[in-house]
Amino acid sequence: MNKTEPLSRNRVILCHFDDYSHALLFPRWAHGMLWPQALPEGAEPMAAPATDIAGHEAAAIKQAVVQDTGLNSDELETVEDYQAWFQTPGGPLRVHLLRFNTPDAPKPAITALGGTFKALSELRGGAMGELLLLREAFTLVGGGKG
């Protein structure tokens, strides 16, 4: 992985929601369900800051993901309502949610990055903190009840 600087202070959940079948899929990699890596050791949930913190802007993170992965920027949209923040030994870390807007999940692109798309129910056994983040994304994007 070619981790770009903004991604060192941010993580990303990628997802694909099929409007027709209402299937919501998330990529899973060997390291977990966040791109480009799992949450750092000692990460603790925190409230979203009252003011913007430089280095955590959604547009910049989307661009960093595109640069890091080679995914098509036009096929990704930021889910602005998703707000997950963590305090880490290195400072605040934000988790962003990017949704593929393609008719079908871009399985070959995720496979090329070493991942596979899975439904939330297929991700059991993953890190509990990441599963809770995916559950929040599921509720927001898929319209599930919390």
Side-chain angles (χ1 to χ4, degrees), residues 39-120:
L39 292 172
E41 193 72 31
E44 294 289 332
M46 64 178 260
T51 59
D52 291 338
I53 299 176
H56 298 283
E57 300 86 0
I61 301 312
K62 177 183 168 184
Q63 187 57 41
V65 169
V66 167
Q67 179 183 343
D68 196 45
T69 63
L71 295 171
N72 184 338
S73 178
D74 294 336
E75 295 178 350
L76 288 169
E77 54 190 48
T78 301
V79 179
E80 297 287 345
D81 291 341
Y82 189 84
Q83 291 279 328
W85 287 86
F86 290 85
Q87 185 60 50
T88 72
L93 180 141
R94 182 176 175 190
V95 179
H96 301 260
L97 178 59
L98 295 177
R99 176 183 171 184
F100 289 99
N101 59 21
T102 54
D104 297 310
K107 293 177 182 180
I110 294 303
T111 300
L113 295 169
T116 56
F117 272 106
K118 303 267 185 196
L120 188 60

